[in-house]
Structures are given as C-alpha cells and as structure tokens.
Amino acid sequence: MIELLLVRHGNTFAPGDRIVWVGSGEDLPLVESGRAQARAFAETLERADWRPTAALSGGLKRQVEHLELATAGSPVPGVHAALNEVDYGRWGGRTTDEIVAEHGDAAVRAWNERSEWPKDAGWPESLEEVRARVGRFADEVASGQHGSRVLVCSSNGLLRWFLGLVPGALEEAVEEASFKVKTGHVGRMEWHRSGGWRVASWNQPPNSPLP
C-alpha cells in the first residue's frame, strides 16, 4: 500500500483583509493563522508517527511555506509543477462580487457548488489539462518512485481533482458539499496494487487524528 496525504495550505488572509480569488497567478504568503494551521498539522504527524518518504508541493509561497512548517524540513520538501494551483485567469485577484458582476452568478455558483469548470472565463488551462497533470502525478506516486508515504501540499482548486482518481468519489463529495478542501485541511488516499486508488478520509482539520 502507498499512502498519499493531501493538505491544503493554510490561511493567506487575516481578519479585515480584502478577500479575493487566489490562483497560481497570485503568490501570497501565509498569514500567522495559516502558519498555526501548518504547525498543528506537524503535531498531528508527530503524534501519529507518520513520517513521509517524500514531501512535495507546488511552487507558490503559501504551499512551500506550509510544507516546510509541517515537516520541519525532514524530509527536505521538493517542488513539483503538477501540484501548482489552478490559474483563475481574469478571476484571480478579484472579489467574488467583482467576478459575478462581469461573468454572472451562475458560473461562480457552478464552480463553488458543483465543481463545474467555467466556460469563457479565460482560465489558461482546460479541465482536461488539469485532470491530466493530476493523473500523471498520481501515476508517479503509484509507481513507488516517491516511496510509500507521500505528503503533498497544494490548493483547493487542484486538490478536488484527486477525488476524480476514484470512480464516483468526486460526484459523491459534490452531493455532500465536501469536495472543497478548507485551508489547512487534509485528505488521505491509498493506492493498493490490487484495487488502485481509494479515499480514506477527506477535508479533515489539521489537528484531526490520522485514520
């Protein structure tokens, strides 16, 4: 069995900040509450004696910093391009109200409530391209080249597509309104030689015991 822990980076906004959509084009650092989430996750890993054989993130400041805090540098975190956040194009750096004013409420609600890729929104990647890079990374993990315990830090727009590795899992999570990974929260997946990928847990707080 190979275990894959998927953590979303912590908070990038402090109380009173202007809340905007943050994709791969918005390279924000963690704020103090986000660092606290990363440290809480580090304590969870230590209590469970869960020591990753590889720790990988996308290249954004918030992803790299969260992973460094969560692992305390052991193993040395690496950057993997497949784990970069979705690029929200013209939606990036704008508030929801600003996006709705230009693109309409239906497209925003479809993404937020049903994970439906928006049409004509100017996002640089297609859904097929995002699914493909998630699939390629998952194949790497399943091959064993990153070892048997792989820790990943990425972002909400990308992490949901890991559910698509398991038939019906994303659709079920949409029905349960649980597909969006909250800041600092964690999912755990397993790869079994006999049965492929399965979801062990999803969207758990950083201080929740590992299953």
Side-chain angles (χ1 to χ4, degrees), residues 17-37:
D17 285 350
R18 178 174 177 265
I19 307 300
V20 298
W21 285 52
V22 179
S24 64
E26 291 72 45
D27 197 7
L28 302 184
L30 298 178
V31 296
E32 184 50 43
S33 61
R35 298 184 189 100
Q37 289 171 313

Side-chain angles (χ1 to χ4, degrees), residues 52-57 67 71 74-79 146 149-153:
T53 54
L56 300 164
S57 75
L67 193 60
T71 63
S74 180
V76 176
V79 169
H146 299 300
R149 285 184 165 182
V150 184
L151 175 60
V152 158
C153 182

Side-chain angles (χ1 to χ4, degrees), residues 34-188:
R35 298 184 189 100
Q37 289 171 313
R39 289 190 288 266
F41 182 51
E43 292 173 0
T44 295
L45 295 176
E46 185 174 356
R47 285 195 301 271
D49 195 27
W50 200 94
R51 300 179 186 278
T53 54
L56 300 164
S57 75
L60 296 168
K61 293 174 184 175
R62 56 191 182 271
Q63 299 169 337
V64 171
E65 183 180 9
H66 194 101
L67 193 60
E68 289 176 342
L69 289 170
T71 63
S74 180
V76 176
V79 169
H80 197 300
L83 301 173
N84 286 334
E85 172 62 312
V86 170
D87 189 335
Y88 294 128
R90 296 193 303 271
W91 293 23
R94 306 177 74 185
T95 67
T96 296
D97 287 344
E98 291 169 343
I99 297 167
V100 168
E102 181 173 344
H103 298 276
D105 181 65
V108 174
R109 289 184 60 188
W111 172 252
N112 281 334
E113 297 175 8
R114 300 186 297 279
S115 198
E116 293 179 5
W117 202 263
K119 299 177 181 178
D120 305 319
W123 293 13
E125 281 184 289
S126 68
L127 174 57
E128 291 72 22
E129 288 170 325
V130 169
R131 283 185 177 273
R133 62 181 167 99
V134 168
R136 288 192 298 271
F137 179 77
D139 287 345
E140 283 185 19
V141 174
S143 75
Q145 72 179 74
H146 299 300
S148 60
R149 285 184 165 182
V150 184
L151 175 60
V152 158
C153 182
S154 189
S155 304
N156 167 57
L158 183 77
L159 288 174
R160 63 184 71 190
W161 303 109
F162 279 87
L163 292 171
L165 298 170
V166 181
L170 178 57
E171 292 78 8
E172 182 179 345
V174 168
E175 287 292 322
E176 296 174 351
S178 62
F179 65 92
K180 292 192 290 186
V181 182
K182 299 177 183 179
T183 55
H185 282 48
V186 185
R188 180 174 175 268

